[in-house]
Amino acid sequence: MKIWLERESAKPIYLQIRDRISRLIKSGVLQPGDRLPSIRSLAESLQVNKLTIIEAYNVLEADGIISARQGSGYFVNSVNRSSANLKSTFAPVQNVIIPEQGRSSFFDMYTATVEAQTQPGMVNFGCGFPHPPKDIDLIARRALRQTPDGLFKYDLPQGQLTLRRQIAQMLIQQGMEVTAENLIVTSGSEQGLSLALQYYLQPGDWVIVETPTYFGALASLENLGAKIIGIPMTAQGMNLDLLEKYLKSHRPKLIYTISALHNPTGITTTQAHRQELLALAEKYECPILEDNAYEGLTFEPAPAPIKAFDTQDLVIYLGTFSKTLMPGLRVGYMVVTGKHFHNILERKLLHDLHTSTISQAIVSEYLASGHLRRHLNRLRTENLHTRDAMLAALERYFPQEARWTVPKGGLFLWVQLPEHTPIQTIRIEALSQNVLVPCHSVFFPDRKGYPAMRLTFTPSPEEIEQGVSVLGKLLKKYLCTKIAS
């Protein structure tokens, strides 16, 4: 492989190397699966430092063009040639849900999905946890060596300054104007969600959510005694016409939304949708809680968060490393601006004093070393492959009446099923065949909603094939029975 370098150019050498290798791949000179020269051999042939080659390979890996295989070197990524239909067919009936009395299933849902992880042979379509990084032990040991004494003392409730600065830089790249002084590090985004809801809402207050939505948020709202208005999702996001109608009629105290890789549907809203939603919030003076736990797993560049357009301190933004690194670290963050910051920080102090210093140090080391960027690229590549495997399996095995979303990242897609589908019966029979599907009703405020399935595509392609095949046969069996009767 020949690479010509312009030593006098203002462009850094590592970027010249990146550009040349990228052109060789795109032109077909380097084919998917080809092994790139080793770091040492390429450094010697180009007469550059090995660190220059490492940086060039790191950028190529972050671009999704190559990937590292432990002990084997760097290889050209395979071109995605999925035959799956990449057009969403999701189109539910637009019914607003206002339940009389909520009843949470959060505990049952959470424990069932966690316990399923330990059951051998179980195809778990309910568990939305990422594959952990392979180098976690190395990074953890390095983090503990940095400042061992400081890790075992009480810390600031808003989190370690170094980590907050790193998160701020990460969010700036997403389009937000944020500093470390606007950030509160939390014990996962679940704590941030709880803090924000408790800050804005009192028992009896109206709150708007998307339907379907994250079941943990519904559980928290019901526990607070809030009165929920469920605005239906369209293929583009929350129905904004219905949103304005209920903003005007009920004057809610908060809008809860997931703008990127929505849980459970996987939908990512456009910039126009986000700006229109914010304009409505400003018109009716209603705060927004933007919960984007999966934003780091997008397959393609996403619009800036709603918070990026917020000039009136109406939006609180939630993020987390639970979906990108590992849930067990319990490190999330809140972007809070204006007068709200100090009040929420005081609530955080009363919750837990501070987030685990050791977990913060591990995340900080990931960010400082560049390992997170490479890890995210690997996750995105794996998730894109398994998403397409699931879409192809759905086309093969599911009945024609089923409709589903095509997420641009994340861990889930949402299957909308015909009315009167006996979903609970199908879930029970599927579980008897070692296929776990979460109960669809937990994603709706009234615990009913339309029949649907939230399916995670984190299992292997083989497990996806097996599980979707079982579900497809059961759906066809019961839908045919329904038609015949």
Side-chain angles (χ1 to χ4, degrees), residues 14-25:
Y14 78 94
L15 289 179
Q16 293 185 45
I17 297 171
R18 185 276 305 268
D19 291 346
R20 178 58 179 166
I21 294 176
S22 180
R23 285 195 295 271
L24 290 173
I25 293 171

Side-chain angles (χ1 to χ4, degrees), residues 203-270:
D205 285 344
W206 289 104
V207 58
I208 282 179
V209 304
E210 295 147 334
T211 53
T213 192
Y214 170 50
F215 62 92
L218 290 174
S220 294
L221 290 169
E222 290 163 359
N223 186 56
L224 283 171
K227 296 163 72 174
I228 301 171
I229 304 169
I231 304 296
M233 290 285 284
T234 71
Q236 290 73 44
M238 185 191 298
N239 186 318
L240 296 180
D241 292 333
L242 290 173
L243 171 62
E244 180 166 24
K245 176 182 176 181
Y246 283 87
L247 283 172
K248 185 176 182 179
S249 63
H250 286 67
R251 294 290 174 171
K253 296 294 182 67
L254 184 68
I255 299 169
Y256 173 72
T257 184
I258 306 170
S259 60
L261 303 173
H262 179 265
N263 180 6
T265 66
I267 291 169
T268 296
T269 60
T270 63

Side-chain angles (χ1 to χ4, degrees), residues 47-80:
Q47 296 183 348
V48 299
N49 191 290
K50 286 191 293 185
L51 293 176
T52 302
I53 306 301
I54 292 172
E55 187 61 24
Y57 280 0
N58 284 347
V59 176
L60 285 164
E61 190 175 19
D63 291 341
I65 297 174
I66 68 172
S67 58
R69 299 179 191 172
Q70 193 165 4
S72 300
Y74 290 85
F75 293 80
V76 178
N77 280 339
S78 298
V79 178
N80 180 33

